[in-house]
Amino acid sequence: MALNENPSANLALELVRSMDRLRGRIRSETGMGAGPWSRSQLAALHRVVYGPPATTSDLAAAEYMRPQSMAQTLAVLEQNGLVTRSPDPDDGRRILITATPRGREEAERWLEAREAWLTAAIDQTLTGSEREGLTALVGILERLADSDAPSAARRSHRPAPEKP
């Protein structure tokens, strides 16, 4: 699709680029790439620490990952003493993932570093009305993340063309 042919597509592209830049800057400013944990490991740990009790499948769905990928992510966290697995007290067939005290400390340390830089950037860069706009934008982004709009990947489940 050509640029400017679809204003929503152009906005989507600009939004993705901006989010990628901000995500990269946050990683840089918080030393995320220098530490032992990947972004997906930290995201999973954050969900375990701050979310309700969850299974591997619950966490995978929340992070839009395959359960097998989440299992690998959690295995690293478990091997490093950040999470544990235990039977669900209400349904012994389910295994719940919980944070260890060390896991909670690691999640809090990372979250504090991320929030410190972003808070400083907001305070130093944005006007009061821009902060209000950012507040509205956060709500809009949450609605987009929860959207039921079909993804291109789900729409295009056509078989690949055969090679000659």
Side-chain angles (χ1 to χ4, degrees), residues 64-140:
Y64 300 98
M65 294 174 70
R66 292 185 357 236
Q68 297 87 344
S69 298
M70 181 57 73
Q72 291 174 339
T73 297
L74 292 171
V76 172
L77 298 177
E78 185 175 26
Q79 290 165 0
N80 286 278
L82 303 180
V83 300
T84 60
R85 299 170 193 264
S86 57
D88 183 334
D90 298 325
D91 182 351
R93 297 169 296 174
R94 292 173 25 111
I95 302 296
L96 297 177
I97 311 300
T98 55
T100 64
R102 180 168 176 244
R104 289 186 180 285
E105 288 172 15
E106 191 68 27
E108 288 170 11
R109 185 186 62 73
W110 175 71
L111 192 59
E112 286 171 9
R114 183 180 66 179
E115 288 179 0
W117 176 80
L118 196 49
T119 298
I122 289 169
D123 287 345
Q124 294 173 16
T125 308
L126 302 183
T127 66
S129 62
E130 287 172 329
R131 282 189 200 105
E132 289 174 14
L134 185 57
T135 299
L137 177 60
V138 168
I140 292 167

Side-chain angles (χ1 to χ4, degrees), residues 30-33 36-48 63 73 77 82 106-107 109-111 114:
T30 59
M32 181 189 257
W37 316 116
S38 71
R39 190 197 78 69
S40 60
Q41 290 164 346
L42 287 170
L45 181 59
H46 182 270
R47 282 211 185 265
V48 170
E63 289 295 318
T73 297
L77 298 177
L82 303 180
E106 191 68 27
R109 185 186 62 73
W110 175 71
L111 192 59
R114 183 180 66 179

Side-chain angles (χ1 to χ4, degrees), residues 8-23:
S8 292
N10 291 332
L11 182 57
L13 180 61
E14 289 177 29
L15 179 60
V16 167
R17 286 180 180 161
S18 295
M19 289 186 331
D20 286 347
R21 286 189 67 224
L22 181 58
R23 197 174 15 251

Side-chain angles (χ1 to χ4, degrees), residues 150-160:
S151 71
R154 284 185 268 158
R155 287 193 308 261
S156 63
H157 278 127
R158 295 184 288 267

